[in-house]
Amino acid sequence: MSLRSACLVLCLGTAWATPPDSGSFTLLRARGLEPQGDVLLAWLAAAVPADMEAVNAWIPQLGAARESEREAAQRALRRYAWLLLPQLEAARNSRDPEVRLRLAALLDPGLRARETRLLDAVLRALAWLQPDGACTAVLELLPLLRGKGLRRSVRDCLWNVTREEDLAAVVAASRLDDPELAALGATALGGCGLLALPRVRELLASEPEVMRLGAALALARLAPREALPRLVDLLEASTAARRRQALFALEQLTGQSLDFQASASPESRQAALQRWRDWLPLHADDDAVQALRFLEPGRAVGRYLLSSPNQGLLCLDRQGHELFRLACDPYDAELQADGSLIVAERSLGRVQVLTADGGVLRQLDGLSGPCDVAMVDNGHLLVLENAAGRVVELDATGAVVWQLEGLSNPYDADRLPNGNTLVADSGNGRLLEVDSEGSVVWEVGGLAFPNNVLRLDDGTTLLTTYTSGGVIRLDADGAQLWQTDLETTLYSLGVEGDTIFVADGTAGRVFQLDADGQNLEAPQVLPRGFVDLHFAP
């Protein structure tokens, strides 16, 4: 067996625990791109400026004497809208009013969001198709990634498309000056085969924590037993997101979690960390240790977490059997990958992070009708305060580090992978996507009290309408693809593959729809009603 064949047997895997939504292909076709490897690689090459001097030359042409030259310059620059090039920002104050007008269109947050969603769909499709040359093409993006938005998509794509022959290019990427970007190259080394091990081991001694995490993930794909102590060390990482990723890798390799919770208090984490350190010498040589396959859990539905004020939390398996219950006054709750629970208690004006047995890890009081809560990658809490008409991001002390105000009776808010926030501004009958500055980059109005909203991986958006009992799917530009009327009071949404789960809280039921909104089977009846149902893996 050749070295490459042996490596493929060892480390074949994908970035997701479930395949990317087929809707990614739908989005590409809607934009005139056939989801074929050569077509997407050609588009990607055109989306990456080969020569910045040439780009600079187009900017003054926005004010050229001839309309045809102005239009040509704008078309040429539009393809780079996802980059938010500093050159365009610098020219915003041009003395030429025509240049200012055209630059305003090019710098429009909505345009940038649409082009970013398109690039994300291209990356997901390339990861699925895995054409020759994809790794080299995607690596060209790295020096241009200015924000967090596309980094996860680039990382996941590289995890799938990197091959042994890409080793030199990936090693070069792991030497980029920006450690966040270099870490993407470090993770991709796991696809380069055993010849990458010397560089991976070198990076394990890197000072930046994010580099050590990337190298440990690569090592877990190439030499999983050797990676175990490195991943255990990373359970002490400085952010909850990195601790969760290290734990997810350990769970794949060993089948164990040892009750470690990435968002728990330092004291609780230290106790669980010691359990891992005690476990290692006894089991590190077990034949059951598996190579790393997935970077992210992916979308799946395995449990239902029901929130019912005055009745507490009830967790059921997919078949409706009780797993556990917890006494509290929940209006919304989420079950985290590490087993902890985040609970919004609307009537009490507080949010709590709890252990599975009800222990309080964190509590934030003095909130104004919190009815939706989620933990974001940096460990902060994103809380929707219904009574105050705002969404806030709170740090561990409860301090507001970001907020969006001026909403009317809002009911749902999600932090998207690109760093933007998607909000159901229910009283105003609209959905909003805003960036970190609070600028609206996407908006859909005229809706009948949207109650829950979910952005899918393909850029489409699902929502429920509380008053009309409808489920609606919108395309990336906000146009309606379909609507299914279930004629009941609808609450939350979940997705697994192409199956859509819809919760009917009043009747205590769960519907399942296909990707086109058609009922798959009779609704599942649960033991009780609820005001929110969280679909958990």
Side-chain angles (χ1 to χ4, degrees):
M1 182 181 290
S2 69
L3 179 62
R4 179 177 179 186
S5 298
C7 175
L8 286 174
V9 170
L10 174 67
C11 62
L12 181 65
T14 63
W16 305 283
T18 54
D21 194 302
S22 59
S24 296
F25 290 174
T26 303
L27 173 61
L28 293 173
R29 290 191 177 103
R31 295 291 297 270
L33 288 173
E34 193 61 29
Q36 298 173 354
D38 56 344
V39 173
L40 299 181
L41 289 177
W43 182 91
L44 191 59
V48 177
D51 180 2
M52 282 298 179
E53 291 303 318
V55 174
N56 291 337
W58 283 113
I59 295 176
Q61 291 301 307
L62 293 172
R66 295 182 179 179
E67 175 70 17
S68 60
E69 293 176 358
R70 297 195 296 271
E71 289 293 329
Q74 188 150 10
R75 283 195 303 273
L77 290 170
R78 181 188 173 99
R79 72 181 64 175
Y80 308 133
W82 66 274
L83 282 168
L84 189 61
L85 290 170
Q87 296 94 319
L88 299 184
E89 287 280 12
R92 187 193 287 269
N93 296 322
S94 170
R95 294 181 179 180
D96 188 329
E98 182 71 19
V99 172
R100 292 199 303 271
L101 180 65
R102 291 180 179 271
L103 279 173
L106 290 168
L107 292 169
D108 175 61
L111 171 63
R112 189 165 68 253
R114 289 192 296 274
E115 296 305 305
T116 300
R117 285 195 292 270
L118 177 59
L119 178 54
D120 180 77
V122 169
L123 291 168
R124 296 184 68 81
L126 286 173
W128 191 243
L129 297 168
Q130 301 179 21
D132 291 340
C135 178
T136 301
V138 174
L139 287 174
E140 294 291 331
L141 296 174
L142 290 189
L144 304 173
L145 297 178
R146 299 180 60 204
K148 293 182 179 180
L150 287 165
R151 289 180 184 175
R152 181 178 295 180
S153 299
V154 168
R155 181 203 64 183
D156 293 350
C157 184
L158 287 172
W159 182 265
N160 284 272
V161 303
T162 302
R163 301 173 180 173
E164 183 180 320
E165 56 265 28
D166 298 314
L167 178 59
V170 176
V171 167
S174 73
R175 293 194 171 109
L176 289 171
D177 292 336
D178 184 335
E180 294 282 347
L181 299 179
L184 303 181
T187 305
L189 286 167
C192 294
L194 300 179
L195 292 174
L197 277 174
R199 177 59 178 163
V200 171
R201 290 169 176 148
E202 178 185 346
L203 292 172
L204 289 168
S206 299
E207 180 63 29
E209 181 181 85
V210 68
M211 291 289 290
R212 296 198 303 277
L213 176 60
L217 294 172
L219 188 64
R221 196 173 181 185
L222 298 169
R225 288 187 181 87
E226 184 181 344
L228 289 176
R230 304 290 188 169
L231 290 166
V232 169
D233 288 344
L234 285 160
L235 294 178
E236 295 187 283
S238 59
T239 70
R242 292 174 188 167
R243 295 193 293 269
R244 277 195 294 271
Q245 189 153 38
L247 179 64
F248 182 63
L250 283 167
E251 288 175 333
Q252 287 182 70
L253 268 59
T254 69
Q256 303 289 324
S257 71
L258 303 186
D259 293 326
F260 183 90
Q261 297 179 343
S263 303
S265 66
E267 296 78 12
S268 176
R269 295 202 309 269
Q270 281 300 317
L273 179 62
Q274 188 58 51
R275 289 194 290 272
W276 270 106
R277 297 203 190 284
D278 294 341
W279 183 93
L280 268 181
L282 300 175
H283 300 278
D285 293 329
D286 287 358
D287 291 338
V289 174
Q290 302 290 318
L292 184 65
R293 294 186 62 209
F294 308 121
L295 292 175
E296 300 287 348
R299 293 186 189 271
V301 175
R303 291 173 288 179
Y304 303 148
L305 186 64
L306 282 61
S307 294
S308 305
N310 303 318
Q311 297 184 62
L313 284 173
L314 175 64
C315 187
L316 309 172
D317 66 16
R318 178 84 165 259
Q319 289 70 45
H321 303 131
E322 181 174 331
L323 298 175
F324 66 84
R325 61 176 63 221
L326 203 59
C328 53
D329 191 30
Y331 198 89
D332 176 63
E334 289 199 357
L335 186 60
Q336 303 298 292
D338 61 9
S340 62
L341 296 145
I342 309 173
V343 183
E345 295 178 295
R346 183 178 183 177
S347 63
L348 300 175
R350 73 181 181 188
V351 166
Q352 296 189 99
V353 182
L354 306 174
T355 62
D357 58 2
V360 179
L361 301 173
R362 192 192 312 180
Q363 180 171 311
L364 300 176
D365 295 292
L367 300 171
S368 183
C371 68
D372 186 63
V373 62
M375 185 172 289
V376 295
D377 283 347
N378 58 11
H380 294 172
L381 294 177
L382 188 71
V383 181
L384 189 149
E385 294 184 275
N386 176 270
R390 68 172 186 166
V391 180
V392 293
E393 180 181 337
L394 306 175
D395 67 14
T397 68
V400 176
V401 298
W402 181 89
Q403 65 178 323
L404 177 69
E405 298 180 292
L407 306 172
S408 173
N409 204 13
Y411 267 89
D412 193 24
D414 296 329
R415 179 62 50 82
L416 302 176
N418 64 6
N420 292 348
T421 304
L422 183 63
V423 181
D425 186 12
S426 310
N428 286 321
R430 62 176 182 167
L431 303 180
L432 296 174
E433 180 183 342
V434 299
D435 63 18
S436 59
E437 302 299 321
S439 300
V440 177
V441 302
W442 183 86
E443 180 178 357
V444 177
L447 301 170
F449 206 89
N451 187 46
N452 190 259
V453 60
L454 182 64
R455 174 67 52 77
L456 303 186
D457 295 330
D458 62 358
T460 63
T461 302
L462 285 171
L463 67 133
T464 57
T465 55
Y466 180 80
T467 52
S468 63
V471 183
I472 301 173
R473 190 166 189 170
L474 308 173
D475 68 15
D477 293 321
Q480 183 172 307
L481 295 172
W482 52 257
Q483 176 170 342
T484 297
D485 293 318
L486 297 176
E487 299 178 352
T488 186
T489 306
L490 300 181
Y491 293 94
S492 48
L493 292 158
V495 170
E496 181 181 76
D498 285 332
T499 301
I500 300 165
F501 292 77
V502 188
D504 170 8
T506 302
R509 301 182 296 177
V510 173
F511 292 87
Q512 292 186 36
L513 311 179
D514 66 16
D516 296 316
Q518 302 300 309
N519 261 309
L520 294 176
E521 55 188 51
Q524 179 183 7
V525 179
L526 302 181
R528 74 184 195 199
F530 46 84
V531 297
D532 182 78
L533 189 155
H534 173 58
F535 294 97

